[in-house]
């Protein structure tokens, strides 16, 4: 190659390296007050970087009205991690720090039960009983039979961090 072509090739390689190694997703500025708790929970639970941060974004968009409980989901989920109190009575969903730690532990317990993070995400969204039943009925193609919301939940979160 002639001199100019090497420089162009090197520049192209640098651009490719940047896009291959940059984080796919970073938390928005509204996540800043919660990042130390999130990073601690991810580290303690051996989670991929920003998995919990991305899940919390999917759940609450880090909106103050959702985190405070002023806005509730149709299922009665509240707080930063959108916890349904009747299913998770051992955590105060309006205490963001406690909810972050709990969500990290809970997601990790789902990963340990089902064997991978994608299935854990589906179980966080759809419920472990539903995921378990779908796996029994449909085998390895179970996710194709999950609700569209759950399919999107998994693909959006995992696609952003994997």
């Amino acid at each position: 190659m002639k001199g100019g072509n090497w420089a162009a090739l090197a520049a192209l390689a640098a651009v490719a390296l940047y896009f291959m190694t940059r984080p796919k997703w970073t938390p928005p500025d509204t996540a800043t007050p919660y990042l130390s708790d999130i990073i601690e929970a991810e580290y303690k639970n051996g989670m991929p970087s920003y998995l919990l941060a991305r899940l919390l974004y999917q759940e609450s968009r880090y909106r103050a009205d959702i985190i405070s409980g002023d806005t509730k989901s149709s299922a009665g989920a509240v707080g930063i991690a959108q916890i349904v109190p009747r299913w998770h009575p051992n955590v105060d969903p309006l205490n963001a720090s406690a909810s972050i730690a709990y969500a990290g532990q809970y997601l990790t317990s789902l990963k340990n039960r089902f064997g991978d993070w994608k299935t854990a995400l589906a179980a966080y969204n759809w419920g472990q009983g539903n995921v378990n039943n779908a796996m029994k009925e449909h085998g390895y193609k179970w996710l194709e039979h999950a609700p569209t919301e759950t399919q999107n939940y998994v693909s959006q979160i995992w696609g952003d961090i994997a």
Side-chain angles (χ1 to χ4, degrees):
M1 288 189 123
K2 303 236 185 231
N5 291 337
W6 281 109
L9 185 61
L12 182 61
V15 169
L17 182 62
Y18 167 78
F19 280 104
M20 291 178 359
T21 59
R22 72 176 168 83
K24 289 185 175 189
W25 182 86
T26 55
D29 291 341
T30 52
T32 301
Y34 312 103
L35 283 179
S36 63
D37 288 333
I38 292 167
I39 292 166
E40 180 180 351
E42 288 177 343
Y43 177 77
K44 282 184 177 179
N45 291 289
M47 303 172 96
S49 292
Y50 290 144
L51 175 59
L52 182 59
R54 181 60 181 83
L55 177 146
L56 296 171
Y57 176 75
Q58 192 80 10
E59 293 291 345
S60 69
R61 296 291 196 242
Y62 295 105
R63 285 180 26 199
D65 62 312
I66 294 174
I67 294 168
S68 69
D70 290 341
T71 299
K72 296 179 182 179
S73 79
S74 59
V78 294
I80 193 167
Q82 286 295 278
I83 293 170
V84 179
R86 69 182 169 130
W87 301 121
H88 304 276
N90 297 326
V91 64
D92 175 1
L94 299 180
N95 177 327
S97 183
S99 292
I100 290 165
Y102 181 82
Q105 292 168 353
Y106 181 61
L107 186 63
T108 300
S109 74
L110 294 170
K111 188 259 188 190
N112 292 339
R113 176 178 178 184
F114 292 108
D116 63 82
W117 290 113
K118 287 173 70 174
T119 307
L121 289 168
Y124 192 98
N125 177 257
W126 192 27
Q128 40 187 322
N130 290 326
V131 169
N132 195 51
N133 291 340
M135 291 174 93
K136 285 179 183 176
E137 186 173 344
H138 303 288
Y140 72 94
K141 292 187 174 192
W142 68 270
L143 188 56
E144 296 171 15
H145 300 276
T148 302
E149 175 191 334
T150 300
Q151 293 177 38
N152 291 340
Y153 186 90
V154 172
S155 67
Q156 290 168 3
I157 294 172
W158 193 250
D160 278 350
I161 62 100

